[in-house]
Amino acid sequence: MKKILNLQFIIDNNQFNHNIFMKKIYLSILLAGATLFSFAQSKIDLNGQAMLHQYKLMEKLGSENPFKAEKEDLNTIKPFGDMPERVVVLIDLNKDANLADLEAEGAVIRSQIDNLALVEIDVDKVVAVSNLKSVKSLSMPKMAKPLMDQARTKTGVNTVHRPLGQLPQAYKGAGVVTGLVDAGVTANHPNFKNTDGTSRVKAAWTITGKDGIETAYDSEYKLGQFTTDLSTMSHGTHVAGIMAGSYKNLADTINYYGVASESDILMVGLGNDAYDNNILMGIENIIEYAEANNQPCVVNLSMGSGYGPHDGTELFSQYIDKLAERAVICVAAGNEADMGYAITKTMTASDKTINSFVMPTAYKNGQLGNIEIWSNTNQAFKVTPVLYDLTQKTIVYAMPAVTASTNGEFKFVSTKDYSSPGDISSAVFENAYTGYIGVGSKVDEYNNRYTAQISYYLVNSANNPTGNVAFGVMIEGNAGQRIDVYAPSGYSTLASNDISGWMNGGGDGSITDASCAKNVISVGAFTSRDKVPVRVKGYAYNFSSYVDLDDIAAFSSYGTLVDGRKLPHLAAPGAMIVSSMSPYYMTLALQQGVYDNEFMLVGKTTYNNSPYYYDYMMGTSMAAPFASGAVALMLQANPELTSEEVRSILINTATQDAFVENSSNPVQWGAGKINVLDAVKTAIQYNGVEDVKADATQNVFVSTVAQNQYEVTYLGANSVNATLYNVAGQAVVNASAQGENVVVDASNVASGVYVLAVEADGAKYTTKVVVK
């Protein structure tokens, strides 16, 4: 049997905090600390201010890790990584920005779209750069978490690959760029090769470090030298296989190829450094390659975080929206619906409080992270961090309440080892914990919403070894005010501890902030299989007691946004999905006993005398690339589709079966289950022409030249006659011309489906067109 530890690893593989091979994980970027200086009226966002203080704390405390992991395999996790010398920040530039001012501070513009710029600077100059007149606001990099045989059949992909008369031709993504930004990618798996052994991976990049160190593998020789960005993960290789894998070997029972199996693949590997600014640079690299080669493009992002306002206004969301105007971007919704990370509540006159405990999920002896609290307007609310004795059921300490904007300046209670000038000291706090709790608040300049953020670093003291004196947050709002609470770090959850008047966290609001960008496609996960075969004949992993076949996955994140949007847009197969595994990861996994033996894997094949493996994973990380592959099929059928049109087609063609219609939580489903066959059919018809192709025997081309005007080309013909017939068989438009070309004008014809009959030199050709 596969070890129980590995089962946990596979299930949690989208979060990667539990990867037993990780030698170092830079958690510091995920966590909120305190302020470095006084940040009154600071142009650095609240998370950024907390991060700068944390860097200072790193220098003061060194690399000693006081936290003890809940699981043995987490012991390598350290709350603080290495102190960076340089960092890439995201800056919103003022209209009259003088880039020479930034350059004078040693800044390097890594990329810029309109007013938004990714800028590399020295860490100790972040505050000085933020104070420049040219800078409107500055965001520090936050860490994202890297979040098929049955799936292809249930969504119509197999029919699109082998249409049997339902489509004018097979669509497998030929000519389309399928790109991914991920971790644990490799170009060497046979899943990414043509049948002649040449690579379908056209280019790859690694972008690592807080300063975004980039290495390009953009030639056949360089790709031959590329192994992987991270040998302790296989997430990116698995994702790429779902989106675009092509390898089949029925002798080895390998039938787990991907959706866009003839597309051109681009890979960006982030290693352990999945900072949002590295993500943006990676997406931009893929899009620029596609634009340079005049190819339609879809980019998959199976990673994200819960940081931010969840309304599409954060600088990261603004930047990704600009990129999504140039290519389709599919984003995983997240895997936290059942983790208790979010609370959404609209206050009433008789019920205007939210009280919740912030409980650890990763460490035995403490916790660290941050809590974000957002109002739906600029109206302030009252927030009070407290310590609560769970045995006595009483509050033993309360920080001074924050009832109005602090203009972004944090107020702290700290123990002596963690204190800065102006911090509050408390004997009760010192008796329970070592560390700090801080609160800062402001009205956000991009959405005019009041927000308070709480940063905490809490190590249980000898007097509080099990955390019985718990950390909690008390919020008091106003009647009619909606308040959203998020625990985005992933190392704490919101819980009631069965105390009356205190709340558990839920799933509404667990959607990743990147999913809330307005131009992307957010994808949730449903279960397309509940049993996974292994190489031992007659054996399989059976998950039927944990998942419901064809139903939404319990972990699939969702959110009812403050602007009225409901996400994700739709759901795709994402549970127990089988795909390719990185050979570099598998070498370590087999050596270090993650698997008892290779026969407990789903599949193995031998290619060029080397072994390659297939295994299952689950998460919206698997659902997003399935949708990305479907988009590639749509773009092959109609390369002119915009991101908005693709999203609209996917939503309007989604299947609403009994599981969707009878769901107790329809928001979690979005529009329903992805229907790839109907989406491709609609994509073909979307701009009017159902059949845009060259016939192999007649050499006929039909294309749209204007709204409801179609140019017919019959290669080699002396004259062409074209007639448009309605469904009753009546001719409604006729056009003839000498030579190979004729234009059929259907501008004055009622909308509907028509048959276009073409005659030339005694030969006939028919197809369907849709007049709008």
Side-chain angles (χ1 to χ4, degrees):
M1 285 292 292
K2 187 184 294 186
K3 291 186 176 180
I4 296 298
L5 174 61
N6 184 54
L7 175 62
Q8 181 67 39
F9 168 75
I10 292 295
I11 291 176
D12 290 341
N13 205 22
N14 307 297
Q15 299 176 25
F16 288 81
N17 303 321
H18 297 178
N19 191 317
I20 66 172
F21 298 125
M22 283 190 177
K23 305 305 179 187
K24 179 181 287 186
I25 301 179
Y26 296 120
L27 296 181
S28 59
I29 208 72
L30 284 169
L31 313 172
T35 54
L36 182 60
F37 307 110
S38 174
F39 284 100
Q41 302 293 343
S42 174
K43 292 185 282 187
I44 304 173
D45 63 6
L46 288 170
N47 278 321
Q49 295 175 40
M51 203 173 299
L52 289 172
H53 174 78
Q54 190 181 93
Y55 289 159
K56 180 182 178 182
L57 197 60
M58 288 162 57
E59 288 184 308
K60 181 178 180 180
L61 300 177
S63 59
E64 184 68 23
N65 181 11
F67 291 96
K68 296 178 181 178
E70 285 286 350
K71 301 177 184 179
E72 183 179 352
D73 56 290
L74 290 176
N75 282 332
T76 56
I77 295 179
K78 295 182 179 180
F80 297 139
D82 297 328
M83 176 71 176
E85 295 181 1
R86 301 273 287 180
V87 64
V88 175
V89 298
L90 182 53
I91 292 178
D92 185 2
L93 296 167
N94 285 313
K95 292 182 179 180
D96 57 348
N98 182 359
L99 298 184
D101 290 345
L102 276 74
E103 294 171 355
E105 296 290 345
V108 176
I109 308 295
R110 297 288 295 273
S111 183
Q112 183 177 353
I113 302 179
D114 301 328
N115 57 303
L116 299 179
L118 292 165
V119 181
E120 180 185 340
I121 54 178
D122 291 339
V123 168
D124 59 9
K125 291 188 176 180
V126 169
V127 174
V129 168
S130 73
N131 289 329
L132 293 175
K133 183 179 179 182
S134 298
V135 175
K136 180 179 178 181
S137 66
L138 184 151
S139 175
M140 295 285 286
K142 295 177 288 293
M143 177 75 89
K145 294 179 291 186
L147 288 143
M148 254 200 314
D149 51 340
Q150 298 290 330
R152 292 195 310 269
T153 299
K154 293 189 175 184
T155 58
V157 170
N158 282 345
T159 305
V160 177
H161 286 181
R162 297 182 293 276
L164 300 176
Q166 293 201 47
L167 294 169
Q169 67 178 72
Y171 295 98
K172 299 182 181 180
V176 179
V177 166
T178 50
L180 74 156
V181 179
D182 216 297
V185 302
T186 179
N188 294 334
H189 199 285
N191 214 11
F192 313 128
K193 295 183 183 297
N194 295 304
T195 55
D196 62 2
T198 57
S199 179
R200 292 176 49 227
V201 179
K202 303 303 179 182
W205 297 265
T206 59
I207 305 177
T208 57
K210 297 181 181 73
D211 52 349
I213 299 173
E214 183 174 319
T215 303
Y217 301 89
D218 51 3
S219 69
E220 184 177 353
Y221 172 78
K222 290 180 180 179
L223 277 170
Q225 307 303 306
F226 176 59
T227 55
T228 180
D229 61 306
L230 192 62
S231 61
T232 57
M233 286 188 191
S234 187
H235 189 269
T237 304
H238 198 274
V239 166
I242 296 168
M243 177 174 64
S246 57
Y247 183 74
K248 290 180 283 186
N249 187 336
L250 297 185
D252 292 332
T253 64
I254 300 298
N255 197 34
Y256 302 107
Y257 56 91
V259 180
S261 56
E262 292 183 0
S263 62
D264 294 338
I265 303 171
L266 299 180
M267 296 178 168
V268 178
L270 304 180
N272 280 328
D273 300 317
Y275 304 118
D276 49 13
N277 295 338
N278 290 350
I279 291 171
L280 294 176
M281 288 189 286
I283 295 174
E284 200 159 6
N285 283 352
I286 294 169
I287 293 174
E288 287 176 351
Y289 175 97
E291 290 173 342
N293 290 276
N294 196 30
Q295 292 178 269
C297 176
V298 56
V299 182
N300 185 79
L301 184 60
S302 284
M303 50 178 56
S305 76
Y307 292 93
H310 294 68
D311 62 8
T313 61
E314 191 182 34
L315 289 185
F316 176 84
S317 294
Q318 292 184 44
Y319 202 103
I320 206 170
D321 269 339
K322 292 178 183 293
L323 293 174
E325 294 174 358
R326 299 157 60 187
V328 181
I329 300 176
C330 293
V331 180
N335 304 323
E336 285 76 41
D338 55 354
M339 297 292 190
Y341 289 161
I343 295 174
T344 294
K345 182 176 180 178
T346 299
M347 305 302 190
T348 66
S350 59
D351 183 7
K352 53 184 179 181
T353 62
I354 297 174
N355 300 329
S356 189
F357 294 104
V358 184
M359 300 302 295
T361 58
Y363 299 110
K364 299 176 181 179
N365 64 325
Q367 61 183 319
L368 66 174
N370 73 332
I371 300 297
E372 295 192 18
I373 311 166
W374 291 84
S375 170
N376 60 329
T377 68
N378 60 10
Q379 187 177 24
F381 46 77
K382 178 181 178 181
V383 57
T384 310
V386 300
L387 298 185
Y388 188 100
D389 189 313
L390 296 174
T391 301
Q392 301 298 323
K393 295 186 178 180
T394 184
I395 295 172
V396 295
Y397 174 74
M399 276 187 70
V402 173
T403 59
S405 173
T406 66
N407 294 317
E409 184 178 1
F410 277 85
K411 308 294 184 182
F412 283 91
V413 55
S414 306
T415 60
K416 57 184 179 181
D417 291 338
Y418 293 80
S419 64
S420 298
D423 286 0
I424 301 167
S425 61
S426 164
V428 175
F429 184 78
E430 189 105 23
N431 188 60
Y433 290 104
T434 296
Y436 60 77
I437 300 173
V439 185
S441 63
K442 61 184 289 189
V443 175
D444 188 274
E445 61 267 41
Y446 293 103
N447 53 33
N448 197 35
R449 296 170 62 190
Y450 181 78
T451 180
Q453 300 198 22
I454 303 174
S455 303
Y456 53 94
Y457 180 104
L458 301 171
V459 181
N460 298 349
S461 72
N463 298 317
N464 185 34
T466 62
N468 186 65
V469 176
F471 165 41
V473 179
M474 303 180 70
I475 304 163
E476 182 179 342
N478 306 280
Q481 184 179 33
R482 167 175 160 161
I483 292 180
D484 295 294
V485 186
Y486 308 118
S489 68
Y491 298 96
S492 302
T493 189
L494 301 172
S496 69
N497 284 322
D498 295 323
I499 303 296
S500 177
W502 294 72
M503 296 179 64
N504 286 316
D508 196 352
S510 60
I511 192 83
T512 61
D513 194 67
S515 286
C516 302
K518 295 180 173 63
N519 293 337
V520 304
I521 299 170
S522 175
V523 186
F526 73 90
T527 304
S528 58
R529 69 186 308 157
D530 59 1
K531 297 179 181 65
V532 182
V534 296
R535 296 181 62 227
V536 179
K537 189 175 181 179
Y539 285 80
Y541 294 115
N542 189 335
F543 295 92
S544 58
S545 60
Y546 301 99
V547 299
D548 295 319
L549 188 62
D550 294 322
D551 206 349
I552 197 73
F555 58 76
S556 187
S557 291
Y558 62 98
T560 305
L561 307 192
V562 71
D563 59 14
R565 288 182 293 153
K566 297 178 180 180
L567 296 174
H569 293 105
L570 78 168
M576 278 64 72
I577 302 297
V578 178
S579 184
S580 43
M581 301 293 287
S582 164
Y584 306 100
Y585 165 78
M586 288 307 305
T587 296
L588 291 177
L590 292 170
Q591 287 175 352
Q592 301 189 23
V594 174
Y595 302 90
D596 283 339
N597 59 68
E598 64 179 23
F599 290 100
M600 301 315 296
L601 288 151
V602 176
K604 174 188 177 182
T605 191
T606 300
Y607 186 88
N608 288 342
N609 298 318
S610 295
Y612 293 91
Y613 298 94
Y614 289 76
D615 207 6
Y616 67 90
M617 292 186 190
M618 61 191 296
T620 58
S621 283
M622 285 62 252
F626 193 96
S628 295
V631 170
L633 306 187
M634 296 166 65
L635 291 175
Q636 180 191 357
N638 188 341
E640 302 303 318
L641 290 174
T642 66
S643 294
E644 183 178 358
E645 290 169 338
V646 168
R647 184 171 60 248
S648 176
I649 291 171
L650 289 173
I651 290 172
N652 291 328
T653 59
T655 298
Q656 295 187 354
D657 61 10
F659 290 96
V660 179
E661 292 178 347
N662 299 326
S663 175
S664 60
N665 189 357
V667 176
Q668 200 170 13
W669 275 109
K673 297 177 177 177
I674 191 170
N675 186 324
V676 183
L677 176 58
D678 284 356
V680 172
K681 285 181 178 180
T682 305
I684 295 171
Q685 301 170 357
Y686 209 77
N687 288 331
V689 179
E690 180 172 319
D691 188 9
V692 185
K693 72 183 185 71
D695 185 276
T697 58
Q698 298 174 327
N699 296 321
V700 177
F701 294 83
V702 181
S703 60
T704 303
V705 293
Q707 179 72 27
N708 295 331
Q709 293 184 8
Y710 315 109
E711 181 181 54
V712 179
T713 301
Y714 202 126
L715 296 178
N718 294 311
S719 63
V720 181
N721 181 73
T723 305
L724 203 62
Y725 295 90
N726 62 20
V727 291
Q730 300 169 324
V732 294
V733 176
N734 178 262
S736 299
Q738 295 297 311
E740 298 179 336
N741 302 303
V742 66
V743 175
V744 179
D745 188 350
S747 301
N748 297 319
V749 174
S751 59
V753 178
Y754 293 82
V755 174
L756 177 64
V758 181
E759 297 181 77
D761 300 340
K764 294 182 179 180
Y765 173 82
T766 61
T767 188
K768 293 179 182 178
V769 297
V770 180
V771 176
K772 296 183 178 181

